[in-house]
Amino acid sequence: MASLSPQPRKLPADEEPADPKTALLTPPVPSPSSPSSPSPSRFLFAFLLVTTCISLAISSAFAFLLLTSNSKPVKEVARSLSKLPHPVVILISSDGFRFGYQFKTSTPNIHRLIRNGTEAETGLIPVFPTLTFPNHYSIVTGLYPTYHGIINNRFTDPVTGEVFTMQSHESKWWLGEPLWETVVNQGKKAATFFWPGSEVKKGKWSCPDKYCQHYNGSVPFEERVDTVLGYFDLPSNEMPVFITLYFEDPDHQGHQVGPDDPEITNAVAHIDSLIGRLISGLEKRGVFEDVTVILLGDHGMVGTCDKKLIYLEDLSPWIEIESEWVQSTTPVLAITPPSNVSLAEVVSKMNEGLSSGKIEHGNYLKMFLKEDLPTRLHYAASYRIPPIIGLLQEGYKVELKRSDNKECGGAHGYDNTNFSMRTIFIAHGPQFGKGRKVKSFENVQIYNVIASILKLKGAANNGSESFADNILLES
């Protein structure tokens, strides 16, 4: 019976196993007739290697995401003073510096403050009316004109019949508490080189000769800067903590030639050079980084021409506006009729004529009882404000009668929502972030900001108590 057990096959000579001793030293050589194939162990090794690398990469990525999601960006905080014993604020006003003027020409010094400080990105909003005295006094009191009493550059007290002008320094006109008064009332020193209201004696502020300059427009701007720098050469106990500095330009040129003339460009360049002079002087004394410099304006500027005139005499078919009724014409038309004349009827008849289409440019003027003015203007509560107010569109002017006068220049005082009335706010100092942009805000907020920097207890005002926390760095 045949056996079913497999029989061993005899290998050919070329397949005979090599000597065992030689085989340990010599790797197997594949047969030239068949291609070589990687072994299963090599496939396994490669697979494990790739899988391990991928796992490590994924783990690293998750670890990075976990770490970065829990980490917080470095928060900028107020810088410590390096030389001065206490904070000092220099408040600089460039009158009529319309927002955008800083781009008219090269202004390296202004842009140095912008680059290393905080800027109102689309400008500072003035109070209404956008005039010099009301706005300068709002900046230093934090009050709207209704509450600080300076409701125009010139006005009549309806009770006493007395007239306020820009040369009036009696305290009865100037209500509220300006910053220089706040400073000295709390035992510190303040200095003013011109600012509306600074010559008025209020509280403990007596406008001392050493620290208070009486207005004289002929004093060169450079001399004003040098006087301010001199305060930093005083002993620390005599050094003022709050200083104002005022320049009439470019408002002076703006009224003469409007906002787009080369004279404005030259004036802006001069203001920039003055800022450079101030910075250089502070750097030489080693205190520039310690001092807070706030550069701002009081209002903007818009061009005006004869073709944008409205004449009150043209309203005669509807109502006769007597010249003695008119307290001011442009840009705030303010009217006080006699007590026996109906205020509502005057407003109604004037608006009827202005909207009739028969008055040249009449649709660019609208009359209001002051209590009916838009509440955002904050221009009703004071008894000093005339009972009838006319709001002009920007660039238009009012005159009582036609004349041959030819004028084409610039003006301000219009509705403070007009972008042309905006000015600048640029602040550089230990408590202002570098290169930071903030939204536009009204200038009544500035009082609280400065009071916070100087660690003063501020007087009651119309600004927000929390605004300083939003614009200043944490100590």
Side-chain angles (χ1 to χ4, degrees), residues 20 27 67 125 204 237 313 325 450 452:
L67 288 172
I125 303 171
K204 293 184 179 180
N237 64 332
E313 69 173 357
W325 297 7
I450 295 176
S452 180

Side-chain angles (χ1 to χ4, degrees), residues 256-316:
Q256 294 180 329
V257 297
D260 302 315
D261 193 270
E263 284 191 39
I264 296 294
T265 304
N266 295 336
V268 168
H270 187 206
I271 294 296
D272 185 75
S273 72
L274 295 166
I275 299 303
R277 188 183 187 98
L278 178 69
I279 292 173
S280 178
L282 293 173
E283 285 182 324
K284 288 177 181 177
R285 291 163 173 82
V287 298
F288 174 58
E289 293 299 334
D290 282 2
V291 175
T292 297
V293 176
I294 299 177
L295 173 63
L296 47 70
D298 51 347
H299 53 71
M301 185 69 67
V302 68
T304 59
C305 282
D306 294 325
K307 67 178 182 179
K308 292 186 175 181
L309 284 171
I310 302 168
Y311 300 100
L312 294 183
E313 69 173 357
D314 291 348
L315 286 168
S316 57

